[in-house]
Amino acid sequence: MTDTFTIAGREFTSRLIVGTGKYKSFEENAAAVEASGAEIVTVAVRRVNVSDPNQPMLVDFIDPRKYTYLPNTAGCFTADDALRTLRLAREAGGWNLVKLEVLGDQKTLYPNMPETLKAAEVLISEGFEVMVYCSDDPIQAKVLEDMGCCAIMPLGAPIGSGLGIQNPVQIRLIVEQANVPVLVDAGVGTASDAAVAMELGCDGVLMNTAIAEARDPIRMARAMKLAVEAGREAYLAGRMGKKLYADPSSPLAGLI
């Protein structure tokens, strides 16, 4: 059977979500999205042209009829900025499923959780379906879920750092308690990082820089597709237990 997952009532096959920033061109971005097999693409509303027909438009290269656009609030440092950005996105493109991120500072790009909670509450009251970037804190993650967010997106490491999953124990705790999809968002650097996230039981992985800044973005997009699939299969298969000592592969009984 096809291993699908659901966000806000929408079913998806690919568990890899990719971004639309930092690419050399819209053409390269479109080719990478195709190679990744992703069905959802994130769009930084404050940075990517999706509404001015007098300028090159992302929608001319990545068809919104084929892919689910996920407007995000990248670059927002207050709840008010995030709210304004997503209201404009809904007005411009009719997008209701959104990714909320409210950043704390320029150096770390860690989420500002008080402002994130404030914005999430308002967005949900206005009928938005909110996927939320958050700290890898199980308590905060549960608060966001109980508030009504449709997906929890803890960072694996700082945005754009490529450091991989820094706190696997906390990610696992978030996954174990969640009743909505959990997707690692930020920090993935290479395919093994994506596999680790999936082996922890995450429902998906979101990435941008890891593909866009690879030496060969198209090949890296394919690698990430395969890594997410492999990590998911390994999680479903159930890994062997770790042991302190060797355990022979062949039985010892009946030796000649």
Side-chain angles (χ1 to χ4, degrees):
M1 295 180 63
T2 303
D3 178 35
T4 61
F5 77 118
T6 302
I7 300 175
R10 310 178 196 196
E11 189 173 73
F12 299 97
T13 301
S14 172
R15 294 173 179 271
L16 176 59
I17 300 175
V18 297
T20 52
K22 299 186 176 181
Y23 288 92
K24 297 181 184 70
S25 65
F26 282 141
E27 289 88 351
E28 181 182 72
N29 193 171
V33 172
E34 182 73 24
S36 75
E39 296 166 297
I40 305 174
V41 295
T42 63
V43 180
V45 179
R46 301 183 74 183
R47 297 172 180 160
V48 176
N49 178 30
V50 292
S51 59
D52 182 0
N54 296 316
Q55 301 293 328
M57 293 180 65
L58 181 68
V59 295
D60 293 331
F61 297 86
I62 300 175
D63 189 347
R65 294 168 298 182
K66 180 178 179 181
Y67 298 98
T68 296
Y69 271 44
L70 182 65
N72 71 33
T73 56
C76 292
F77 290 84
T78 68
D80 286 343
D81 281 349
L83 291 170
R84 187 180 307 110
T85 299
L86 292 177
R87 287 164 180 158
L88 287 171
R90 181 156 66 179
E91 188 71 24
W95 295 298
N96 204 49
L97 179 65
V98 297
K99 178 196 163 190
L100 171 65
E101 59 180 81
V102 185
L103 306 175
D105 59 42
Q106 289 281 3
K107 182 177 181 179
T108 67
L109 300 182
Y110 261 60
N112 180 325
M113 291 312 299
E115 290 292 293
T116 297
L117 290 163
K118 179 180 171 183
E121 186 173 25
V122 174
L123 288 168
I124 291 166
S125 73
E126 294 182 359
F128 284 93
E129 296 162 331
V130 180
M131 300 172 66
V132 59
Y133 168 68
C134 61
S135 60
D136 55 355
D137 177 348
I139 305 304
Q140 292 289 290
K142 191 61 178 173
V143 170
L144 288 164
E145 178 184 337
D146 291 344
M147 183 183 291
C149 292
C150 64
I152 306 301
M153 308 177 78
L155 79 166
I159 291 172
S161 68
L163 290 171
I165 310 300
Q166 294 297 293
N167 293 305
V169 172
Q170 289 176 223
I171 299 293
R172 173 60 68 84
L173 288 172
I174 292 172
V175 169
E176 287 181 355
Q177 72 183 7
N179 296 303
V180 296
V182 175
L183 302 96
V184 161
D185 177 10
V188 168
T190 190
S192 56
D193 300 330
V196 166
M198 298 306 297
E199 289 171 10
L200 289 170
C202 292
D203 295 279
V205 183
L206 188 153
M207 66 185 70
N208 184 77
T209 308
I211 297 176
E213 292 192 353
R215 187 170 63 249
D216 184 339
I218 314 307
R219 176 166 282 184
M220 183 60 81
R222 281 197 300 271
M224 292 299 189
K225 175 181 184 291
L226 296 171
V228 167
E229 292 174 353
R232 177 66 178 172
E233 286 294 297
Y235 172 73
L236 294 176
R239 66 157 291 146
M240 63 169 284
K242 294 182 179 181
K243 304 168 186 176
L244 290 175
Y245 303 103
D247 184 10
S249 298
S250 301
L252 298 177
L255 290 177
I256 297 175

